[in-house]
């Protein structure tokens, strides 16, 4: 019987067909012998190499069938053979199967059918196979292929950006693979598989914030699980609140409000005003231009059209058909571009983020002079420390919208000045007499309902003296030293 060394030596010397015939003769004599099958496997590898080098698709399929018939071969023991075959198949797909060719889906399906019985380990060849297949993202079996490939087998190298010779970087294999699976599942509209895939996407988005597009497709899949606009918002908002600075979040939410023009416009405006490279914003600006044209706000449409045109031409890209159409219309040269926003898009979009949140009146009881974090009392024995987007002083009365992230942690999504209501059980306005000793820098406010502590800061700020009458906003706040809740004065009016 021919040995593996004898077969590979002849193949390397160019005697591939002779080696194949020799291995085939040995296999006919001992069809179930593992070593005889291994010799045949290596002869087939060199034939497959020839097939891929010469782009002989029919011969490649025939030889893969023969390899599949070798039932004594196993990946743990024949890993080198299978790894070599994977590299050749991946190279063939990468070089000879083009996404635009009419016969590419049939060829991909045939090759996939020869591979899917195997359970390959993570390897460079296996990753190369993935990289080659996912370029054909319109292939109808892409979701099945990626389920078989198993994205849990991505290596650390698969998550690194690819650096081109000209210095530009392209997406990692991992990012492209997750996007390809998202697109495939969205195309199939398979809600069960989408729901099953979401935890993987959630984990990817959380661990790899540097990836731009997976979050967008994650959001798209979330939206498919919502049957109505309200349901869609309920599903997407928790994720959107975490990623509110990303343009694609607002691009995504704009699709929810197709029947509410101002909200849709506000979302698109917020999208283009996120800190995002211009080359990502083409589709958003085209949507904005279309809305402005519909509203006959041609100067604003002109600004968006100009931005897309400048960006695409600077990259050497073909202009989108909408832009091509608009730039040839008579009005385009009669108006000056206007980049102003016709609505308060931040107020509208912040209100969208607050849908379904809890609302409360909060009183500021402490302002950290270094971090500018403020302590808020927002309910009876409810206290939190937050950094707001604007400066406030001690005793400020705010209306806040918040979400409870954990039992002990909440996040304020919006805050604004409001009038003080008279029905709170954790804050009230009282009148009383200042009690201050000359040897102390603090004081107390004596009222019919008790005595309340006045901090040295308030004493100095208002130059309080003993026995004068004042009004004060008092709040039930937590005293860390005494480990108890106590009423304190937070603002004073003489």
């Amino acid at each position: 019987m021919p040995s593996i060394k004898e077969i590979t030596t002849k193949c390397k010397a160019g005697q591939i067909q002779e080696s194949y015939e020799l291995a085939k003769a040995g296999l006919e004599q001992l069809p179930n012998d593992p070593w005889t099958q291994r010799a045949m496997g290596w002869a087939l590898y060199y034939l497959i190499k020839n097939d891929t080098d010469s782009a002989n698709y029919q011969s490649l399929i025939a030889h893969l069938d023969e390899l599949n018939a070798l039932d004594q071969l196993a990946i743990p023991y024949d890993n080198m053979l299978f790894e070599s075959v994977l590299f050749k198949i991946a190279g063939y797909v990468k070089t000879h199967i083009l996404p635009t060719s009419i016969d590419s889906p049939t060829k991909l399906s045939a090759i996939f059918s020869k591979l899917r019985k195997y359970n390959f380990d993570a390897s460079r060849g296996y990753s190369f196979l993935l990289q080659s297949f996912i370029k054909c993202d319109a292939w109808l079996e892409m979701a099945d292929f990626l389920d078989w490939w198993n994205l849990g087998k991505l290596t650390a190298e698969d998550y690194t950006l690819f650096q081109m010779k000209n210095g530009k970087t392209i997406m990692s294999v991992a990012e492209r693979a997750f996007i390809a699976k998202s697109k495939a599942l969205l195309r199939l509209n398979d809600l069960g598989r989408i729901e099953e895939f979401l935890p993987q996407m959630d984990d990817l988005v959380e661990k790899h914030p540097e990836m731009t597009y997976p979050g967008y497709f994650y959001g798209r899949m979330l939206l498919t699980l919502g049957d109505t606009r309200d349901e869609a918002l309920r599903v997407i908002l928790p994720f959107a609140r975490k990623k509110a600075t990303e343009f694609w979040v607002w691009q995504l939410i704009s699709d929810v409000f197709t029947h509410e023009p101002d909200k849709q416009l506000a979302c698109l405006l917020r999208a283009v005003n996120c800190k995002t490279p211009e080359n990502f914003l083409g589709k958003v600006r085209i949507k904005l231009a279309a809305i402005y044209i519909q509203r006959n706000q041609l100067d604003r449409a002109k600004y968006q059209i100009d931005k897309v045109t400048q960006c695409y031409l600077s990259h050497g890209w073909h202009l989108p058909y909408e832009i091509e159409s608009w730039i040839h219309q008579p009005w385009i040269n009669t108006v000056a571009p206007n980049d102003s926003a016709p609505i308060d898009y931040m107020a509208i979009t912040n209100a969208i983020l607050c849908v379904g949140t809890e609302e409360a009146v909060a009183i500021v009881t402490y302002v950290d002079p270094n971090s500018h974090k403020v302590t808020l009392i927002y309910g009876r024995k409810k206290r939190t420390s937050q950094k707001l987007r604007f400066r406030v002083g001690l005793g400020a009365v705010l209306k806040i919208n918040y979400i409870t992230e954990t039992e002990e942690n909440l996040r304020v999504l919006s805050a604004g000045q409001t009038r003080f209501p008279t029905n709170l059980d954790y804050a009230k306005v009282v009148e009383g007499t200042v009690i201050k000793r000359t040897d102390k820098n603090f004081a107390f406010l004596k009222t019919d309902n008790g005595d309340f502590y006045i901090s040295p800061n308030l004493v100095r700020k208002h130059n309080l003296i003993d026995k004068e009458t004042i009004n004060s906003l008092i709040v039930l706040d937590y005293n860390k030293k005494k480990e108890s809740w106590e009423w304190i004065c937070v603002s004073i009016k003489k």
Side-chain angles (χ1 to χ4, degrees), residues 436-455:
K436 183 183 181 306
R437 289 171 47 177
T438 55
D439 61 336
K440 301 293 182 183
N441 60 0
F442 59 87
F444 287 92
L445 178 62
K446 187 175 184 60
T447 73
D448 293 338
N449 296 316
D451 297 345
F452 306 109
Y453 176 75
I454 306 174
S455 69

Side-chain angles (χ1 to χ4, degrees), residues 27-304:
L27 190 63
E28 288 173 353
Q29 294 181 41
L30 295 172
N32 297 316
D33 178 62
W35 289 102
T36 305
Q37 289 200 10
R38 287 189 181 103
M40 183 60 168
W42 280 103
L44 285 169
Y45 160 71
Y46 282 97
L47 286 170
I48 289 169
K49 181 179 182 299
N50 271 359
D51 297 336
T52 57
D53 291 345
S54 60
N56 191 332
Y57 168 72
Q58 296 298 339
S59 183
L60 171 63
I61 293 299
H63 290 137
L64 287 176
D65 279 333
E66 287 190 72
L67 185 63
N68 274 349
L70 302 178
D71 56 4
Q72 296 301 307
L73 300 187
I75 290 170
Y77 307 108
D78 302 286
N79 185 59
M80 187 179 294
L81 169 63
F82 284 108
E83 179 77 349
S84 300
V85 170
L86 282 176
F87 263 107
K88 291 304 169 185
I89 295 173
Y92 175 82
V93 173
K94 179 181 179 181
T95 306
H96 301 295
I97 296 185
L98 305 177
T100 54
S101 297
I102 193 169
D103 59 348
S104 290
T106 302
K107 289 181 177 179
L108 287 174
S109 295
I111 295 172
F112 177 38
S113 71
K114 312 306 174 188
L115 297 173
R116 67 189 308 170
K117 83 168 196 175
Y118 298 106
N119 182 19
F120 294 105
D121 295 325
S123 68
R124 291 186 64 201
Y126 198 42
S127 292
F128 185 26
L129 182 77
L130 172 68
Q131 180 183 346
S132 300
F133 266 74
I134 58 177
K135 70 176 183 178
C136 301
D137 61 0
W139 177 42
L140 293 180
E141 288 188 75
M142 183 59 75
D144 293 334
F145 171 80
L146 291 170
D147 281 346
W148 165 79
W149 197 93
N150 184 359
L151 297 182
K153 293 182 179 180
L154 288 162
T155 65
E157 186 179 354
D158 293 329
Y159 283 89
T160 59
L161 292 173
F162 182 76
Q163 188 85 29
M164 299 176 71
K165 290 181 180 179
N166 61 6
K168 292 184 178 180
T169 57
I170 60 174
M171 288 183 197
S172 66
V173 174
E175 185 170 1
R176 283 180 279 153
F178 274 94
I179 290 172
K181 186 163 184 180
S182 301
K183 286 182 176 180
L185 294 178
L186 286 166
R187 186 168 54 243
L188 294 172
N189 197 30
D190 189 327
L191 301 187
R193 290 172 76 175
I194 287 173
E195 193 164 7
E196 187 179 330
F197 183 50
L198 282 177
Q200 278 185 276
M201 285 294 285
D202 184 56
D203 187 61
L204 179 79
V205 170
E206 192 66 32
K207 291 181 179 177
H208 295 276
E210 77 282 1
M211 294 183 180
T212 301
Y213 281 114
Y216 171 74
F217 286 99
Y218 177 58
R220 285 270 310 276
M221 287 189 289
L222 283 175
L223 284 180
T224 64
L225 300 179
D227 296 331
T228 65
R229 192 212 72 175
D230 289 343
E231 178 64 14
L233 270 181
R234 184 192 66 78
V235 172
I236 191 65
L237 278 178
F239 175 70
R241 289 168 187 143
K242 294 180 182 179
K243 299 289 182 179
T245 59
E246 303 286 348
F247 83 96
W248 48 262
V249 165
W250 297 106
Q251 180 184 2
L252 189 66
I253 297 178
S254 73
D255 291 337
V256 179
F257 293 105
T258 53
H259 299 297
E260 296 184 62
D262 276 358
K263 288 183 179 178
Q264 183 183 38
L265 177 60
C267 291
L268 293 172
L269 284 169
R270 184 151 178 178
V272 297
N273 283 287
C274 291
K275 294 179 180 178
T276 306
E278 190 60 41
N279 53 301
F280 289 106
L281 298 175
K283 290 182 179 179
V284 183
R285 292 197 184 278
I286 289 170
K287 279 188 176 183
L288 270 174
I291 291 173
Y292 284 141
I293 290 171
Q294 190 177 25
R295 296 183 174 200
N296 202 34
Q297 297 175 350
L298 300 182
D299 54 345
R300 292 190 170 97
K302 163 82 168 168
Y303 177 80
Q304 303 300 329

